[in-house]
């Protein structure tokens, strides 16, 4: 048995939002925390709080291998992997270039899977370890123009379920975290991608409707990332963690509605939330007119 204060964690996507809050939460809980992301300059304040900052790109095998090898060389163990790095690639299926769809899968699912492969031999040897995969309520529900993002989060759910029963006999635990709307940079990145990809196509009015709905969800009333970090902290410290943590409470209500409602009824609810209004049509016409002026 190792003393609790020598537990070692790696958090991906630590330069912002949920990952950044999780690094601070795990430091508070006594972990030695490695904070990984591409923008190392954004993690200087985490280093000041005791985090070991590493440059990590979850689309680059060499970068992931070097990160895990470095941790094992330094610490000789790894107890927690928080697979958090991710972004929302939005736009109509007809419009999103397949290379971008592949990139979405590289970051949101293959990076998570590769890091899992890299830590598992050590966790199995230790007969102890927790892999925390950040899914989303988007792994249970769906939005128009969100197909690729949702596809990756449904994949995170499917992979995590199989993985959980696969590694449980080896003493390794797998936990799914399903955040609802959280105030982070994710929102702006997702909205921007929808408008860039579909803002001037046959789906322009829907892109503006999505923009409006996502903006409405991203207000001061939406919780900040610490609510997710606290759930992750509770999960890794629990003697028997839950299989999934859906946070905040509003997210639980949405997942419950999805479970309760027949598909057609849920579709109607989605149309209501993301429905195109006259204002969306006008905004779409204006951006199309703007694009025409620019090209003349
Ligand atoms: N915010 C929400 O409403 C919400 C809801 C449900 C689920 N989630 C999920 O929560 C996770 C964290 O998102 P967030 O809301 O905290 O968004 P965020 O503030 O935009 O943070 C995303 C993090 O992912 C990192 N990242 C992106 N591409 C990467 C790559 N190739 N390699 C390594 N790191 C990469 C970014 O760091 P660098 O760019 O510096 O690499 C950044 O630190 C994501 O998986 C997201 O899908 C978010």
């Amino acid at each position: 048995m190792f003393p609790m204060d020598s537990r070692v964690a790696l958090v991906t996507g630590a330069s912002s939002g949920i990952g950044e809050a999780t690094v601070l939460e795990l430091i508070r809980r006594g972990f030695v925390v490695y904070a990984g992301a591409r923008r190392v300059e954004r993690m200087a304040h985490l280093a000041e709080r005791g985090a070991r900052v590493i440059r990590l790109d979850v689309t680059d095998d060499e970068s992931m291998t070097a990160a895990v090898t470095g941790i094992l060389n330094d610490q000789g163990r790894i107890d927690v992997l928080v697979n958090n790095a991710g972004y929302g690639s939005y736009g109509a299926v007809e419009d999103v270039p397949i290379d971008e769809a592949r990139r979405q899968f590289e970051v949101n699912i293959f990076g998570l899977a590769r890091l899992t492969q890299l830590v598992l031999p050590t966790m199995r040897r230790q007969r102890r370890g927790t892999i925390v995969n950040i899914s989303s309520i988007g792994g249970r529900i769906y939005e128009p123009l969100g197909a690729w993002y949702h596809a990756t989060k449904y994949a995170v759910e499917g992979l995590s379920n199989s993985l959980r029963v696969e590694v449980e006999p080896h003493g390794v635990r797998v936990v799914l975290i399903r955040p609802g709307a959280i105030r982070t940079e994710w929102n702006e990145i997702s909205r921007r991608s929808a408008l860039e990809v579909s803002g001037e196509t046959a789906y322009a009015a829907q892109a503006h409707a999505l923009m409006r709905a996502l903006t409405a969800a991203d207000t001061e009333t939406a919780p900040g990332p610490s609510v997710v970090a606290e759930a992750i902290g509770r999960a890794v410290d629990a003697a028997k963690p839950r299989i999934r943590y859906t946070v905040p409470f509003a997210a639980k209500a949405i997942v419950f509605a999805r479970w309760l409602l027949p598909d057609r009824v849920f579709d109607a609810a989605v149309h209501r939330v993301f429905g195109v209004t006259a204002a969306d049509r006008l905004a779409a016409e204006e951006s199309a007119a703007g694009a025409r002026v620019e090209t003349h």
Side-chain angles (χ1 to χ4, degrees):
M1 198 69 176
F2 287 81
M4 291 295 270
D5 62 3
S6 70
R7 292 178 305 167
V8 176
L10 167 61
V11 179
T12 72
S15 61
S16 165
I18 293 168
E20 179 183 49
T22 301
V23 169
L24 295 173
E25 177 68 20
L26 295 185
I27 290 173
R28 194 179 70 73
R29 286 174 183 266
F31 282 82
V32 173
V33 183
Y34 286 78
R38 293 167 304 176
R39 293 169 298 174
V40 278
E41 70 287 355
R42 290 277 299 265
M43 298 186 285
H45 72 106
L46 295 176
E48 280 164 22
R49 303 279 291 273
R52 323 276 169 105
V53 165
I54 49 178
R55 185 181 298 279
L56 174 65
D57 183 341
V58 301
T59 65
D60 178 347
D61 202 89
E62 243 175 68
S63 167
M64 290 186 279
T65 306
V68 174
T69 308
I71 294 170
L72 294 177
N73 286 343
D74 283 358
Q75 307 290 337
R77 60 182 296 106
I78 185 157
D79 300 277
V80 171
L81 166 65
V82 182
N83 277 313
N84 164 74
Y87 74 102
S89 179
Y90 279 71
V93 172
E94 191 179 334
D95 297 335
V96 176
I98 286 297
D99 278 350
E100 169 52 25
R102 285 201 181 95
R103 195 172 88 85
Q104 174 76 142
F105 266 83
E106 285 294 339
V107 175
N108 289 13
I109 186 82
F110 292 119
L112 167 155
R114 181 65 185 130
L115 280 167
T116 299
Q117 288 182 332
L118 289 166
V119 302
L120 269 176
T122 306
M123 287 186 174
R124 277 194 298 99
R125 239 185 340 268
Q126 293 169 179
R127 289 206 62 78
R128 176 189 162 124
T130 307
I131 295 168
V132 180
N133 289 338
I134 310 302
S135 173
S136 165
I137 57 167
R140 287 290 293 141
I141 62 158
Y142 43 89
E143 306 148 300
L145 278 59
W148 290 112
Y149 180 67
H150 290 286
T152 63
K153 292 301 184 183
Y154 274 72
V156 170
E157 298 263 332
L159 182 142
S160 302
N161 286 332
S162 284
L163 180 70
R164 184 178 63 253
V165 288
E166 211 167 277
V167 298
E168 209 164 28
H170 299 278
V172 180
R173 317 180 308 176
V174 176
V175 174
L176 267 164
I177 306 286
R178 276 189 193 149
I182 304 292
R183 228 174 334 106
T184 69
E185 292 174 12
W186 183 95
N187 296 287
E188 174 58 26
I189 293 168
S190 306
R191 291 199 296 261
R192 206 172 48 225
S193 66
L195 273 194
E196 275 170 15
V197 173
S198 291
E200 288 153 23
T201 72
Y203 302 89
Q206 280 167 284
H208 285 274
L210 177 81
M211 177 93 177
R212 184 174 38 73
L214 290 182
T215 306
D218 182 25
T219 62
E220 287 302 308
T221 54
S226 60
V227 66
V228 185
E230 282 158 21
I232 295 169
R234 284 199 304 279
V236 299
D237 270 346
K240 195 169 190 302
R242 298 211 297 266
I243 286 172
R244 5 188 132 68
Y245 293 74
T246 304
V247 282
F249 182 77
K252 281 197 183 76
I254 294 170
V255 170
F256 179 68
R258 175 67 194 101
W259 172 80
L260 190 68
L261 298 176
D263 289 348
R264 288 289 181 201
V265 178
F266 196 81
D267 276 9
V270 170
H271 281 306
R272 183 179 282 265
V273 174
F274 296 97
V276 172
T277 64
D280 297 323
R281 279 205 188 86
L282 187 64
E285 278 163 21
E286 279 170 1
S287 50
R292 274 198 297 278
V293 168
E294 271 171 35
T295 51
H296 284 163

